Amino acid sequence: MAGVLDSVNQRTQLVGQNRLELLMFRLNGRQVYGINVFKVKEVLPCPPLSVLPHSSHVVRGVAYVRGRTISIMDLNAATGGRPLQDVDKCFIIITEYNNSVQGFLVQGVDRIVNLNWEAISSPPKGSGRAHYLTAVTEVEGKLVEILDVERILAEVSPATVGLSDALIDSGKRGTELNTVLIVDDSSVARAQIRKCCEALGLQTVVLNDGKQALNHLRGLINEGINPIDKYILVISDIEMPEMDGYTLTASIKNHPDMGKLHVMLHTSLSGVFNQAMVEKVGADDFLAKFHPDELAKRVLKQLELRQPAA
């Protein structure tokens, strides 16, 4: 695995082409899992861990890496399996989600594969760990499961999802234009955003991926309904099966009947490439997950801008 991420900075060209690269790894058995390379900062053999008293069973300890202390979470335990054994022979995948850095303990790391988001599907219902899956794909005849890391992090360290009273009071008022379109493949993220918008007294339409959202918007147009007249804005994740948020945004902005629809990309992805990609695809706004008050402020701003003059 030495140097497996050496060329990660060259991979930003894939973004915007509805493509991604997955770092494939294993937990406890033959099942292969994947994580988006853009969320990965480094892959290392597991260093010595210091156990934290009274911590979640998922947190195996903390490690001192590159001058900072990082919590190390056991992905197998986090998804309902047994804690990984022989930790000194395991690896840690150091990631950045929601502007925070954490390490995930895994049994082994395989390689990086280049895929199209169209080859990635929603997880089948009824599968053993479907509760923790956000997507699945197939690589060389083998099923690769993509974990819902946002759900895992939310269970280990729940984020604050409530709004301040001032924002709630400012949002509850009558208006004809009162609906927000939410697009996200993570059930946790969808619930967080919906709760935030509904606390402002707004209606929501919630969809699971970019393809569903684009088909929904096109369907409105076919019915003679202008999406701009229905939605205050679109709040979209970036990483989604079938069609990612970058491709969805570009499709909206290039469409003659919905190009003026306000699109906010709302994602756990971190990295300097994000702003450049936001500008490239024409998104109107970008916000890292999950800051409920900041999200509410931006939704309210668009609501105010969209109201007809008195």
Side-chain angles (χ1 to χ4, degrees):
M1 279 306 298
V4 72
L5 301 177
D6 287 348
S7 60
V8 67
N9 290 333
Q10 301 174 15
R11 295 188 168 100
T12 57
Q13 61 184 334
L14 297 175
V15 184
Q17 301 178 28
N18 208 39
R19 301 192 69 83
L20 81 158
E21 289 194 326
L22 285 180
L23 173 63
M24 302 201 308
F25 61 91
R26 297 176 188 272
L27 295 177
N28 189 16
R30 296 183 178 182
Q31 178 59 52
V32 180
Y33 299 88
I35 187 173
N36 193 332
V37 166
F38 284 118
K39 290 182 175 176
V40 177
K41 296 174 69 67
E42 195 170 5
V43 177
L44 297 170
C46 186
L49 301 181
S50 298
V51 178
L52 294 176
H54 311 299
S55 62
S56 165
H57 75 285
V58 171
V59 179
R60 299 295 295 269
V62 296
Y64 193 70
V65 180
R66 311 296 185 205
R68 68 189 302 172
T69 302
I70 300 174
S71 295
I72 307 300
M73 303 179 197
D74 186 325
L75 272 186
N76 205 56
T79 54
R82 295 181 299 175
L84 293 173
Q85 304 299 308
D86 299 323
V87 173
D88 57 328
K89 297 179 182 179
C90 292
F91 291 82
I92 57 170
I93 302 175
I94 300 176
T95 66
E96 186 168 358
Y97 280 83
N98 304 341
N99 293 319
S100 67
V101 176
Q102 53 278 310
F104 293 116
L105 185 72
V106 302
Q107 190 71 59
V109 180
D110 291 350
R111 59 195 172 96
I112 290 174
V113 292
N114 183 321
L115 299 170
N116 192 301
W117 276 110
E118 293 179 353
I120 298 186
S121 307
S122 298
K125 295 181 179 179
S127 56
R129 292 189 179 180
H131 181 67
Y132 291 101
L133 300 183
T134 187
V136 296
T137 189
E138 185 177 296
V139 176
E140 297 177 354
K142 296 181 179 179
L143 179 70
V144 178
E145 299 183 345
I146 302 173
L147 295 175
D148 188 348
V149 177
E150 291 178 56
R151 172 175 287 280
I152 293 170
L153 292 176
E155 291 182 355
V156 175
S157 179
T160 301
V161 298
L163 296 181
S164 63
D165 291 340
L167 286 170
I168 293 175
D169 291 341
S170 65
K172 291 188 175 179
R173 56 194 172 197
T175 173
E176 291 184 5
L177 183 63
N178 68 346
T179 308
V180 176
L181 177 60
I182 299 168
V183 191
D184 202 303
D185 65 325
S186 168
S187 59
V188 169
R190 290 195 301 270
Q192 290 174 337
I193 303 168
R194 184 179 68 247
K195 183 176 180 180
C196 177
C197 292
E198 292 179 351
L200 298 174
L202 302 175
Q203 302 295 315
T204 59
V205 172
V206 182
L207 299 174
N208 293 358
D209 61 63
K211 187 174 182 179
Q212 284 185 17
L214 187 59
N215 288 339
H216 168 71
L217 293 171
R218 287 172 173 168
L220 290 177
I221 292 172
N222 291 338
E223 295 173 11
I225 302 171
N226 192 326
I228 299 172
D229 297 330
K230 179 176 177 63
Y231 292 118
I232 302 166
L233 79 163
V234 177
I235 302 174
S236 175
D237 187 20
I238 289 178
E239 292 183 287
M240 295 180 290
E242 302 282 355
M243 179 184 291
D244 67 16
Y246 289 128
T247 306
L248 170 63
T249 301
S251 299
I252 289 173
K253 292 301 179 180
N254 292 328
H255 195 288
D257 295 323
M258 50 179 152
K260 293 183 179 180
L261 191 59
H262 189 93
V263 179
M264 175 197 297
L265 291 175
H266 184 244
T267 178
S268 59
L269 278 174
S270 302
V272 296
F273 72 91
N274 273 331
Q275 192 57 48
M277 288 309 309
V278 167
E279 295 174 1
K280 178 178 178 180
V281 301
D284 299 286
D285 201 359
F286 174 86
L287 181 63
K289 294 177 180 175
F290 176 68
H291 304 286
D293 275 9
E294 183 59 33
L295 177 61
K297 288 176 183 177
R298 299 193 190 193
V299 171
L300 287 173
K301 180 180 179 181
Q302 287 307 306
L303 177 64
E304 190 70 31
L305 290 173
R306 294 295 306 279
Q307 298 312 305

